[in-house]
Amino acid sequence: KLLVLLRDGRKLLGLLRSFDQFANVILEGACERVIVGDLYCDIPLGLYVIRGENVVLIGELDLEKEELPSRMNPVSEAEIKRAQKAEREATDLKGSMRKRMEFLDF
């Protein structure tokens, strides 16, 4: 079982079926793990082909160990999308506030 971190920040989990010298990877039973704060959701993707140029990191997961800390709460796909949107809006607001305060030269 692998965890693959992509260039765009997505995290994919799945069973390794094949790879090549360019780091192209085929995952079976793949899912995208979305984490926002203490919430997470695994969005099923099925058989997934990943182009090597998008791979940042590949790591093997221990099947016998717990993958996530106990404080993490599983939620539905709709709930995690809402949490992502709220987090994105908060980040955008923080960035715009920082731009407004640049004249203070902190």
Side-chain angles (χ1 to χ4, degrees):
K1 187 168 186 180
L2 293 183
L3 168 70
V4 181
L5 180 62
L6 300 181
R7 221 171 29 170
D8 63 1
R10 291 186 295 157
K11 298 164 210 62
L12 303 178
L13 297 119
L15 296 174
L16 176 65
R17 285 298 161 225
S18 184
F19 68 95
D20 65 10
Q21 71 270 24
F22 303 109
N24 297 318
V25 177
I26 298 175
L27 295 179
E28 182 181 4
C31 64
E32 178 182 355
R33 176 156 294 163
V34 180
I35 300 174
V36 178
D38 288 344
L39 306 175
Y40 79 95
C41 178
D42 288 340
I43 302 168
L45 303 171
L47 189 65
Y48 210 74
V49 179
I50 304 168
R51 189 173 166 104
E53 69 181 21
N54 295 315
V55 174
V56 173
L57 176 103
I58 296 178
E60 182 180 6
L61 296 176
D62 190 349
L63 294 174
E64 297 175 7
K65 287 189 176 180
E66 185 65 32
E67 291 180 18
L68 291 168
S70 59
R71 64 179 169 78
M72 300 295 285
N73 300 314
V75 296
S76 70
E77 191 173 338
E79 289 179 70
I80 203 73
K81 296 286 185 197
R82 282 194 298 271
Q84 273 184 316
K85 184 178 179 185
E87 183 180 56
R88 198 175 316 110
E89 289 171 353
T91 303
D92 292 346
L93 178 63
K94 186 177 178 181
S96 66
M97 293 298 284
R98 184 170 289 147
K99 285 180 184 176
R100 291 181 194 164
M101 297 297 185
E102 281 180 352
F103 71 92
L104 294 175
D105 196 32
F106 281 113

XYZ file of all heavy atoms in Angstrom:
845
model
N 0.861 -1.172 0.000
C 0.000 0.000 0.000
C 0.902 1.227 0.000
O 1.874 1.293 0.749
C -0.903 -0.009 1.229
C -1.938 1.069 1.208
C -2.988 0.868 2.282
C -4.073 1.910 2.106
N -5.118 1.777 3.103
N 0.569 2.200 -0.861
C 1.395 3.393 -1.022
C 0.621 4.663 -0.709
O -0.601 4.725 -0.895
C 1.889 3.526 -2.464
C 2.869 2.526 -3.013
C 3.249 2.912 -4.438
C 4.098 2.426 -2.155
N 1.369 5.668 -0.288
C 0.885 7.043 -0.209
C 1.676 7.812 -1.250
O 2.912 7.757 -1.270
C 1.135 7.635 1.175
C 0.932 9.142 1.302
C -0.554 9.475 1.190
C 1.483 9.645 2.607
N 0.977 8.501 -2.138
C 1.634 9.281 -3.193
C 1.230 10.731 -3.023
O 0.042 11.063 -3.040
C 1.228 8.781 -4.603
C 1.945 9.593 -5.673
C 1.516 7.301 -4.759
N 2.224 11.600 -2.826
C 1.987 13.039 -2.722
C 2.231 13.636 -4.097
O 3.288 13.424 -4.701
C 2.938 13.664 -1.694
C 2.822 15.155 -1.476
C 1.439 15.531 -0.936
C 3.910 15.645 -0.551
N 1.223 14.365 -4.600
C 1.318 14.950 -5.942
C 1.765 16.403 -5.875
O 1.684 17.051 -4.830
C -0.034 14.849 -6.653
C -0.573 13.436 -6.846
C -1.902 13.482 -7.582
C 0.418 12.567 -7.586
N 2.189 16.918 -7.016
C 2.674 18.295 -7.123
C 1.629 19.321 -6.711
O 1.965 20.377 -6.172
C 3.099 18.557 -8.567
C 4.345 19.326 -8.685
C 4.904 19.412 -10.049
N 3.942 19.341 -11.144
C 4.254 19.586 -12.389
N 5.481 19.911 -12.703
N 3.356 19.503 -13.324
N 0.347 19.027 -6.947
C -0.706 19.978 -6.591
C -1.158 19.844 -5.135
O -2.105 20.489 -4.716
C -1.903 19.838 -7.538
C -2.577 18.484 -7.456
O -2.141 17.638 -6.656
O -3.543 18.264 -8.215
N -0.475 19.000 -4.354
C -0.762 18.879 -2.929
C -1.719 17.752 -2.575
O -1.935 17.482 -1.394
N -2.292 17.072 -3.568
C -3.195 15.969 -3.266
C -2.419 14.770 -2.749
O -1.257 14.575 -3.085
C -3.998 15.570 -4.508
C -4.994 16.624 -4.916
C -5.871 16.167 -6.046
N -5.053 15.959 -7.237
C -5.388 15.170 -8.239
N -6.498 14.484 -8.216
N -4.597 15.055 -9.289
N -3.096 13.979 -1.891
C -2.516 12.760 -1.348
C -3.373 11.590 -1.799
O -4.569 11.555 -1.542
C -2.500 12.825 0.178
C -1.663 13.947 0.738
C -2.003 14.172 2.193
C -1.812 15.582 2.629
N -2.612 16.578 1.985
N -2.751 10.636 -2.493
C -3.465 9.468 -2.988
C -2.942 8.226 -2.279
O -1.740 8.100 -2.041
C -3.274 9.315 -4.498
C -3.690 10.506 -5.353
C -3.396 10.210 -6.819
C -5.153 10.817 -5.173
N -3.873 7.321 -1.938
C -3.515 6.053 -1.327
C -4.030 4.931 -2.206
O -5.092 5.069 -2.814
C -4.172 5.931 0.055
C -3.724 6.955 1.063
C -4.902 7.770 1.494
C -3.109 6.260 2.220
N -3.294 3.838 -2.265
C -3.752 2.694 -3.042
C -2.707 1.604 -3.084
O -1.588 1.766 -2.588
N -3.083 0.485 -3.678
C -2.178 -0.645 -3.818
C -1.380 -0.503 -5.106
O -1.952 -0.313 -6.181
C -2.968 -1.948 -3.841
C -3.723 -2.274 -2.566
C -4.585 -3.506 -2.759
C -2.767 -2.465 -1.416
N -0.065 -0.611 -4.987
C 0.819 -0.500 -6.142
C 0.611 -1.692 -7.061
O 0.691 -2.838 -6.641
C 2.279 -0.452 -5.692
C 3.327 -0.425 -6.793
C 3.214 0.869 -7.586
C 4.709 -0.580 -6.212
N 0.320 -1.435 -8.319
C 0.179 -2.492 -9.316
C 1.311 -2.459 -10.316
O 1.733 -3.492 -10.810
C -1.171 -2.389 -10.037
C -2.302 -2.854 -9.215
C -2.127 -4.331 -8.870
N -2.944 -4.689 -7.740
C -2.543 -5.407 -6.719
N -1.328 -5.855 -6.647
N -3.351 -5.687 -5.720
N 1.815 -1.258 -10.637
C 2.911 -1.164 -11.586
C 3.572 0.208 -11.486
O 2.969 1.166 -11.019
C 2.385 -1.376 -13.010
O 3.451 -1.374 -13.931
N 4.829 0.278 -11.926
C 5.559 1.547 -12.018
C 6.627 1.392 -13.087
O 6.912 0.281 -13.541
C 6.179 1.939 -10.673
C 7.291 1.035 -10.230
C 8.604 1.344 -10.504
C 7.009 -0.143 -9.540
C 9.636 0.503 -10.110
C 8.015 -0.984 -9.139
C 9.337 -0.667 -9.428
N 7.213 2.497 -13.503
C 8.302 2.435 -14.479
C 9.416 3.398 -14.092
O 9.365 4.031 -13.042
C 7.789 2.682 -15.903
C 7.244 4.085 -16.128
O 7.426 4.946 -15.250
O 6.642 4.304 -17.188
N 10.421 3.514 -14.957
C 11.600 4.324 -14.658
C 11.302 5.819 -14.590
O 12.109 6.594 -14.101
C 12.731 4.042 -15.659
C 12.484 4.569 -17.057
C 11.781 3.579 -17.963
O 11.079 2.685 -17.497
N 11.955 3.747 -19.268
N 10.137 6.249 -15.081
C 9.765 7.666 -15.058
C 8.897 8.006 -13.855
O 8.368 9.108 -13.764
C 9.021 8.034 -16.340
C 9.814 7.742 -17.581
C 9.445 6.714 -18.419
C 10.942 8.481 -17.891
C 10.172 6.427 -19.559
C 11.677 8.206 -19.029
C 11.302 7.176 -19.864
N 8.709 7.059 -12.946
C 7.863 7.199 -11.753
C 6.382 7.243 -12.097
O 5.575 7.674 -11.284
C 8.262 8.410 -10.910
N 6.015 6.815 -13.318
C 4.600 6.608 -13.605
C 4.135 5.462 -12.721
O 4.837 4.456 -12.583
C 4.376 6.253 -15.077
C 4.789 7.375 -16.003
O 4.522 8.544 -15.753
N 5.452 7.023 -17.092
N 2.967 5.607 -12.116
C 2.495 4.628 -11.135
C 1.049 4.266 -11.440
O 0.260 5.123 -11.830
C 2.578 5.228 -9.704
C 2.027 4.267 -8.671
C 3.999 5.620 -9.359
N 0.711 2.999 -11.253
C -0.679 2.550 -11.338
C -1.089 2.068 -9.957
O -0.442 1.186 -9.381
C -0.857 1.427 -12.376
C -0.470 1.943 -13.764
C -2.292 0.915 -12.357
C -0.495 0.893 -14.846
N -2.156 2.673 -9.414
C -2.682 2.293 -8.105
C -4.032 1.619 -8.288
O -4.880 2.107 -9.030
C -2.863 3.522 -7.208
C -1.617 4.284 -6.801
C -1.999 5.472 -5.930
C -0.630 3.390 -6.088
N -4.223 0.521 -7.582
C -5.514 -0.168 -7.577
C -6.238 0.184 -6.284
O -5.626 0.282 -5.223
C -5.305 -1.678 -7.654
C -6.588 -2.457 -7.693
C -6.345 -3.954 -7.753
O -5.191 -4.398 -7.693
O -7.339 -4.680 -7.865
N -7.546 0.398 -6.390
C -8.329 0.754 -5.207
C -7.890 2.086 -4.626
O -7.887 2.279 -3.417
N -7.521 3.000 -5.498
C -6.998 4.297 -5.063
C -8.099 5.164 -4.454
O -9.270 5.047 -4.799
C -6.374 5.031 -6.242
N -7.672 6.013 -3.530
C -8.570 7.021 -2.969
C -7.745 8.271 -2.683
O -6.540 8.197 -2.470
C -9.278 6.522 -1.716
S -8.191 6.167 -0.347
N -8.417 9.405 -2.739
C -7.772 10.680 -2.402
C -8.110 10.987 -0.963
O -9.275 11.019 -0.586
C -8.273 11.800 -3.302
C -7.654 13.144 -2.954
C -8.176 14.286 -3.808
O -8.949 14.047 -4.735
O -7.809 15.438 -3.504
N -7.097 11.191 -0.152
C -7.322 11.537 1.252
C -7.258 13.057 1.380
O -6.247 13.683 1.098
C -6.295 10.895 2.162
C -6.481 11.348 3.605
C -5.935 10.406 4.606
N -6.668 9.155 4.597
C -6.206 8.036 5.140
N -5.023 8.016 5.696
N -6.915 6.943 5.116
N -8.382 13.641 1.831
C -8.473 15.078 2.034
C -8.520 15.324 3.534
O -9.357 14.741 4.228
C -9.744 15.652 1.351
C -9.825 17.150 1.559
C -9.753 15.309 -0.130
N -7.611 16.166 4.026
C -7.535 16.470 5.456
C -7.704 17.965 5.643
O -7.002 18.763 5.015
C -6.191 16.016 6.046
C -6.024 14.506 5.861
C -6.085 16.399 7.512
C -4.674 13.971 6.268
N -8.649 18.338 6.500
C -8.860 19.740 6.864
C -8.982 19.782 8.383
O -9.971 19.311 8.935
C -10.133 20.322 6.210
C -10.331 21.762 6.645
C -10.069 20.221 4.705
N -7.962 20.328 9.043
C -7.986 20.369 10.500
C -8.004 18.960 11.066
O -7.130 18.147 10.778
N -9.017 18.654 11.885
C -9.176 17.323 12.469
C -10.144 16.457 11.680
O -10.523 15.377 12.135
C -9.675 17.435 13.915
C -8.592 17.949 14.855
O -7.409 17.932 14.457
O -8.924 18.349 15.980
N -10.559 16.912 10.506
C -11.502 16.169 9.678
C -10.772 15.547 8.497
O -9.822 16.124 7.972
C -12.600 17.094 9.155
C -13.365 17.921 10.187
C -14.322 18.871 9.484
C -14.112 17.009 11.143
N -11.233 14.373 8.077
C -10.663 13.771 6.878
C -11.730 12.975 6.133
O -12.751 12.588 6.702
C -9.462 12.874 7.202
C -9.818 11.515 7.733
C -9.914 10.422 6.881
C -10.057 11.303 9.084
C -10.243 9.178 7.356
C -10.381 10.062 9.578
C -10.469 8.995 8.710
O -10.800 7.755 9.176
N -11.467 12.764 4.856
C -12.371 11.985 4.016
C -11.532 11.282 2.959
O -10.610 11.877 2.401
C -13.397 12.899 3.351
S -14.534 12.037 2.256
N -11.841 10.023 2.721
C -11.207 9.269 1.645
C -12.190 9.196 0.485
O -13.235 8.564 0.590
C -10.824 7.867 2.104
C -9.641 7.872 3.049
O -8.891 8.863 3.052
O -9.456 6.877 3.777
N -11.856 9.843 -0.610
C -12.714 9.876 -1.796
C -12.253 8.772 -2.740
O -11.126 8.815 -3.249
C -12.636 11.249 -2.490
C -13.039 12.347 -1.506
C -13.481 11.280 -3.746
C -12.737 13.750 -1.977
N -13.089 7.747 -2.982
C -12.663 6.618 -3.819
C -12.461 7.020 -5.284
O -13.239 7.787 -5.844
C -13.811 5.616 -3.676
C -14.960 6.382 -3.150
C -14.442 7.611 -2.482
N -11.381 6.492 -5.875
C -11.040 6.798 -7.269
C -10.969 5.552 -8.136
O -11.011 5.656 -9.352
C -9.695 7.529 -7.333
C -9.583 8.828 -6.539
C -8.148 9.307 -6.520
C -10.507 9.879 -7.111
N -10.819 4.372 -7.543
C -10.714 3.130 -8.311
C -9.305 2.918 -8.836
O -8.323 3.252 -8.176
N -9.183 2.368 -10.039
C -7.888 2.163 -10.676
C -7.396 3.522 -11.169
O -8.106 4.225 -11.884
C -8.026 1.186 -11.846
C -6.719 0.712 -12.469
C -5.928 -0.117 -11.473
C -6.998 -0.077 -13.722
N -6.171 3.897 -10.792
C -5.709 5.253 -11.051
C -4.298 5.224 -11.627
O -3.405 4.568 -11.076
C -5.727 6.033 -9.733
C -5.972 7.506 -9.882
C -7.223 8.006 -10.189
C -4.940 8.417 -9.704
C -7.452 9.358 -10.320
C -5.169 9.773 -9.823
C -6.414 10.234 -10.130
O -6.643 11.585 -10.258
N -4.090 5.937 -12.719
C -2.773 6.054 -13.349
C -2.234 7.446 -13.046
O -2.907 8.448 -13.290
C -2.861 5.845 -14.883
C -1.489 6.006 -15.520
C -3.451 4.488 -15.193
N -1.031 7.493 -12.506
C -0.405 8.771 -12.133
C 0.827 8.975 -12.998
O 1.713 8.118 -13.047
C 0.012 8.770 -10.648
C -1.188 8.462 -9.769
C 0.647 10.100 -10.277
C -0.821 8.156 -8.340
N 0.867 10.105 -13.676
C 2.028 10.441 -14.504
C 3.185 10.838 -13.587
O 3.023 11.615 -12.646
C 1.658 11.570 -15.451
C 2.714 11.858 -16.487
C 2.179 12.877 -17.471
N 3.256 13.415 -18.264
C 3.488 13.079 -19.518
N 2.709 12.204 -20.112
N 4.486 13.623 -20.183
N 4.364 10.324 -13.879
C 5.531 10.506 -13.024
C 5.919 11.949 -12.762
O 6.417 12.271 -11.685
N 5.704 12.844 -13.724
C 6.107 14.245 -13.524
C 5.290 14.940 -12.440
O 5.680 15.988 -11.942
C 6.013 15.019 -14.838
C 4.609 15.233 -15.335
C 4.563 15.993 -16.645
O 5.571 16.025 -17.369
O 3.513 16.566 -16.931
N 4.159 14.349 -12.048
C 3.325 14.932 -11.005
C 3.635 14.383 -9.620
O 3.085 14.857 -8.632
C 1.845 14.695 -11.320
C 1.433 15.429 -12.563
O 1.761 16.593 -12.744
N 0.740 14.737 -13.447
N 4.501 13.393 -9.529
C 4.816 12.752 -8.256
C 5.901 13.534 -7.529
O 6.955 13.829 -8.083
C 5.274 11.295 -8.486
C 5.751 10.666 -7.188
C 4.152 10.477 -9.100
N 5.628 13.867 -6.267
C 6.625 14.513 -5.422
C 7.248 13.484 -4.487
O 8.452 13.469 -4.273
C 5.976 15.646 -4.582
C 6.960 16.215 -3.573
C 5.442 16.739 -5.481
N 6.414 12.601 -3.936
C 6.881 11.647 -2.944
C 6.044 10.382 -3.031
O 4.832 10.448 -3.235
C 6.719 12.272 -1.545
C 7.065 11.398 -0.377
C 8.425 11.805 0.153
C 6.028 11.564 0.700
N 6.701 9.244 -2.877
C 6.005 7.963 -2.790
C 6.498 7.288 -1.526
O 7.710 7.182 -1.299
C 6.300 7.058 -4.002
C 5.776 7.687 -5.286
C 5.690 5.680 -3.797
C 6.075 6.883 -6.538
N 5.558 6.846 -0.700
C 5.930 6.167 0.526
C 5.084 4.936 0.763
O 3.886 4.916 0.457
N 5.710 3.900 1.300
C 4.987 2.678 1.612
C 4.313 2.825 2.965
O 4.903 3.345 3.913
C 5.961 1.503 1.645
C 5.293 0.174 1.906
C 6.275 -0.982 1.942
O 7.487 -0.742 1.883
O 5.812 -2.116 2.035
N 3.065 2.372 3.061
C 2.325 2.402 4.312
C 2.344 1.022 4.941
O 2.173 0.011 4.255
C 0.881 2.843 4.077
C 0.690 4.257 3.547
C -0.786 4.511 3.263
C 1.223 5.270 4.525
N 2.521 0.980 6.248
C 2.498 -0.276 6.988
C 1.047 -0.681 7.196
O 0.272 0.060 7.806
C 3.210 -0.094 8.328
C 3.445 -1.405 9.046
O 2.875 -2.436 8.620
O 4.202 -1.401 10.032
N 0.659 -1.829 6.691
C -0.727 -2.280 6.787
C -1.150 -2.596 8.216
O -2.330 -2.575 8.535
C -0.946 -3.508 5.895
C -0.803 -3.267 4.393
C -0.885 -4.584 3.643
C -1.854 -2.302 3.901
N -0.187 -2.887 9.090
C -0.512 -3.259 10.466
C -0.662 -2.057 11.386
O -1.249 -2.164 12.450
C 0.552 -4.202 11.011
C 0.606 -5.515 10.253
C 1.743 -6.399 10.702
O 2.415 -6.052 11.694
O 1.958 -7.432 10.054
N -0.138 -0.912 11.002
C -0.213 0.281 11.847
C -1.424 1.124 11.498
O -1.892 1.134 10.362
C 1.042 1.134 11.692
C 2.263 0.552 12.339
C 3.377 1.553 12.332
C 4.577 1.006 13.061
N 5.677 1.954 13.072
N -1.906 1.870 12.485
C -2.997 2.815 12.275
C -2.458 3.968 11.430
O -1.397 4.511 11.723
C -3.501 3.330 13.619
C -4.698 4.223 13.555
C -5.949 3.511 13.047
O -6.089 2.306 13.306
O -6.750 4.165 12.393
N -3.188 4.344 10.392
C -2.707 5.372 9.472
C -2.857 6.789 10.021
O -2.058 7.655 9.756
C -3.460 5.283 8.143
C -3.138 4.055 7.354
C -3.905 4.007 6.059
O -4.417 5.048 5.623
O -3.997 2.924 5.493
N -3.938 7.028 10.768
C -4.237 8.376 11.238
C -4.284 8.432 12.760
O -4.639 7.448 13.410
C -5.597 8.829 10.688
C -5.644 9.083 9.192
C -7.078 9.220 8.731
C -4.861 10.313 8.835
N -3.958 9.595 13.336
C -4.104 9.751 14.781
C -5.564 9.597 15.203
O -6.481 9.848 14.424
C -3.621 11.182 15.046
C -2.928 11.621 13.815
C -3.422 10.781 12.695
N -5.779 9.214 16.437
C -7.140 8.966 16.931
C -7.986 10.237 16.981
O -9.210 10.161 16.985
C -7.080 8.321 18.314
O -6.386 9.174 19.210
N -7.359 11.407 16.995
C -8.119 12.664 17.056
C -8.809 13.013 15.735
O -9.687 13.856 15.682
C -7.230 13.820 17.488
C -6.127 14.136 16.504
C -5.265 15.311 16.960
N -4.080 15.429 16.154
C -4.034 15.956 14.944
N -5.126 16.432 14.384
N -2.905 16.031 14.277
N -8.409 12.343 14.657
C -8.986 12.626 13.341
C -10.388 12.026 13.239
O -10.607 10.891 13.629
C -8.098 12.055 12.238
C -6.686 12.625 12.223
S -6.630 14.371 11.856
C -6.940 14.346 10.129
N -11.328 12.820 12.700
C -12.716 12.394 12.568
C -13.088 12.224 11.093
O -12.934 13.158 10.318
C -13.658 13.434 13.191
C -13.376 13.636 14.648
O -13.210 12.686 15.389
N -13.286 14.888 15.063
N -13.598 11.041 10.712
C -14.034 10.856 9.326
C -15.353 11.583 9.068
O -16.236 11.599 9.918
C -14.214 9.337 9.212
C -14.455 8.876 10.602
C -13.740 9.833 11.511
N -15.453 12.223 7.902
C -16.675 12.927 7.520
C -17.016 12.569 6.078
O -16.229 11.945 5.379
C -16.532 14.469 7.664
C -16.320 14.869 9.110
C -15.405 14.992 6.811
N -18.190 12.990 5.630
C -18.615 12.708 4.260
C -17.874 13.611 3.277
O -17.269 14.619 3.654
C -20.117 12.926 4.126
O -20.412 14.299 4.213
N -17.983 13.262 2.015
C -17.334 14.042 0.956
C -17.886 15.465 0.903
O -17.134 16.426 0.727
C -17.536 13.333 -0.381
C -16.705 13.890 -1.493
C -16.804 13.069 -2.774
O -17.161 11.888 -2.711
O -16.523 13.647 -3.841
N -19.206 15.615 1.075
C -19.821 16.949 1.040
C -19.315 17.814 2.196
O -19.018 19.001 2.008
C -21.341 16.826 1.106
N -19.177 17.215 3.376
C -18.700 17.979 4.530
C -17.252 18.420 4.356
O -16.888 19.541 4.717
C -18.824 17.140 5.805
C -20.253 16.942 6.262
C -20.321 16.080 7.509
O -19.895 16.564 8.577
O -20.771 14.930 7.393
N -16.407 17.546 3.807
C -14.996 17.905 3.640
C -14.845 18.985 2.582
O -13.994 19.865 2.698
C -14.120 16.668 3.343
C -12.659 16.928 3.736
C -14.178 16.264 1.896
C -12.393 16.946 5.186
N -15.701 18.973 1.544
C -15.673 20.028 0.516
C -16.032 21.378 1.139
O -15.419 22.396 0.820
C -16.629 19.708 -0.636
C -16.274 18.465 -1.413
C -15.088 18.674 -2.298
C -14.855 17.421 -3.136
N -13.558 17.360 -3.729
N -17.052 21.383 2.035
C -17.417 22.630 2.720
C -16.276 23.116 3.598
O -15.968 24.315 3.634
C -18.681 22.421 3.564
C -19.961 22.428 2.756
C -21.182 22.557 3.643
N -21.329 21.443 4.572
C -21.992 20.311 4.306
N -22.567 20.145 3.124
N -22.081 19.359 5.207
N -15.624 22.203 4.308
C -14.502 22.572 5.171
C -13.338 23.115 4.344
O -12.695 24.095 4.739
C -14.063 21.371 6.001
N -13.078 22.513 3.176
C -12.020 23.000 2.285
C -12.317 24.414 1.812
O -11.434 25.269 1.783
C -11.888 22.102 1.058
C -10.983 20.932 1.213
C -10.842 20.164 -0.092
O -11.829 19.916 -0.778
N -9.636 19.776 -0.419
N -13.573 24.642 1.441
C -13.966 25.962 0.954
C -13.806 27.008 2.051
O -13.274 28.099 1.803
C -15.415 25.926 0.470
C -15.882 27.226 -0.134
C -17.297 27.134 -0.652
C -17.720 28.465 -1.225
N -19.120 28.465 -1.642
N -14.220 26.681 3.272
C -14.086 27.611 4.396
C -12.619 27.899 4.679
O -12.236 29.053 4.924
C -14.777 27.042 5.630
N -11.769 26.865 4.623
C -10.343 27.046 4.868
C -9.711 27.921 3.782
O -8.899 28.800 4.063
C -9.650 25.690 4.923
C -8.177 25.775 5.252
C -7.521 24.415 5.290
O -7.612 23.679 4.279
O -6.919 24.087 6.318
N -10.104 27.693 2.528
C -9.590 28.489 1.409
C -9.993 29.953 1.559
O -9.182 30.862 1.346
C -10.115 27.914 0.088
C -9.365 28.350 -1.121
C -9.823 27.679 -2.412
N -10.046 26.243 -2.305
C -11.254 25.662 -2.354
N -12.339 26.379 -2.528
N -11.371 24.357 -2.254
N -11.245 30.200 1.927
C -11.721 31.571 2.112
C -10.988 32.262 3.252
O -10.635 33.437 3.160
C -13.223 31.583 2.359
C -14.039 31.243 1.123
C -15.514 31.048 1.405
O -15.916 31.048 2.591
O -16.272 30.884 0.434
N -10.730 31.529 4.344
C -9.997 32.105 5.471
C -8.574 32.452 5.072
O -8.048 33.504 5.449
C -9.993 31.134 6.649
N -7.938 31.596 4.278
C -6.577 31.852 3.809
C -6.551 33.067 2.885
O -5.654 33.909 2.979
C -6.027 30.616 3.068
O -6.091 29.496 3.937
C -4.605 30.832 2.614
N -7.540 33.157 1.992
C -7.621 34.312 1.081
C -7.822 35.604 1.862
O -7.206 36.625 1.560
C -8.759 34.133 0.075
C -8.492 33.017 -0.918
O -7.329 32.558 -0.998
O -9.445 32.595 -1.602
N -8.665 35.566 2.887
C -8.913 36.743 3.719
C -7.647 37.151 4.457
O -7.300 38.330 4.517
C -10.047 36.473 4.712
C -10.379 37.611 5.669
C -10.874 38.829 4.889
C -11.416 37.161 6.674
N -6.931 36.179 4.989
C -5.684 36.456 5.698
C -4.672 37.115 4.764
O -4.002 38.075 5.131
C -5.120 35.155 6.269
C -3.906 35.327 7.135
C -3.486 33.980 7.702
C -2.242 34.105 8.548
N -1.812 32.812 9.076
N -4.579 36.596 3.518
C -3.654 37.173 2.537
C -4.025 38.589 2.166
O -3.161 39.462 2.056
N -5.326 38.847 1.993
C -5.739 40.206 1.633
C -5.525 41.171 2.798
O -5.163 42.321 2.592
C -7.205 40.225 1.186
O -8.066 39.909 2.256
N -5.724 40.689 4.013
C -5.472 41.547 5.187
C -3.980 41.873 5.297
O -3.604 43.001 5.618
C -5.947 40.858 6.465
C -7.447 40.692 6.539
S -8.315 42.262 6.538
C -8.012 42.781 8.197
N -3.140 40.881 5.008
C -1.693 41.101 5.068
C -1.272 42.144 4.031
O -0.448 43.017 4.310
C -0.962 39.787 4.826
C 0.540 39.930 4.968
C 1.254 38.612 4.972
N 0.976 37.937 6.223
C 0.879 36.619 6.363
N 1.046 35.849 5.331
N 0.617 36.080 7.522
N -1.866 42.087 2.831
C -1.536 43.056 1.791
C -1.957 44.457 2.212
O -1.255 45.429 1.934
C -2.226 42.680 0.479
C -1.583 41.516 -0.216
C -2.299 41.180 -1.503
C -1.701 39.952 -2.140
N -2.438 39.554 -3.330
N -3.088 44.563 2.864
C -3.556 45.874 3.324
C -2.663 46.459 4.395
O -2.545 47.663 4.540
C -4.984 45.778 3.871
C -6.005 45.494 2.819
C -7.370 45.428 3.424
N -8.309 44.840 2.491
C -9.489 44.379 2.812
N -9.897 44.432 4.064
N -10.279 43.859 1.903
N -2.016 45.591 5.176
C -1.185 46.048 6.291
C 0.280 46.210 5.931
O 1.075 46.589 6.763
C -1.292 45.045 7.453
C -2.662 44.931 8.021
S -3.162 46.507 8.727
C -4.721 46.053 9.441
N 0.645 45.946 4.685
C 2.048 46.044 4.278
C 2.618 47.447 4.490
O 3.793 47.589 4.782
C 2.211 45.626 2.819
C 2.208 44.142 2.614
C 2.366 43.774 1.146
O 2.325 44.651 0.271
O 2.522 42.565 0.895
N 1.800 48.450 4.370
C 2.297 49.823 4.521
C 2.786 50.087 5.938
O 3.563 51.008 6.172
C 1.210 50.838 4.151
C 0.077 50.931 5.132
C 0.134 51.856 6.169
C -1.024 50.086 5.044
C -0.909 51.944 7.079
C -2.052 50.181 5.933
C -2.001 51.099 6.964
N 2.384 49.261 6.918
C 2.838 49.455 8.291
C 4.254 48.948 8.490
O 4.896 49.273 9.503
C 1.896 48.723 9.262
C 0.478 49.279 9.313
C -0.391 48.400 10.201
C 0.457 50.701 9.824
N 4.763 48.150 7.530
C 6.132 47.647 7.528
C 6.463 46.873 8.798
O 7.387 47.208 9.535
C 7.117 48.815 7.331
C 8.492 48.324 6.940
O 8.567 47.284 6.257
O 9.481 48.954 7.333
N 5.704 45.804 9.044
C 5.979 44.952 10.218
C 7.194 44.116 9.985
O 7.450 43.411 9.188
C 4.774 44.049 10.527
C 3.695 44.789 11.242
C 2.484 45.013 10.627
C 3.876 45.233 12.528
C 1.457 45.667 11.272
C 2.866 45.898 13.196
C 1.665 46.115 12.569
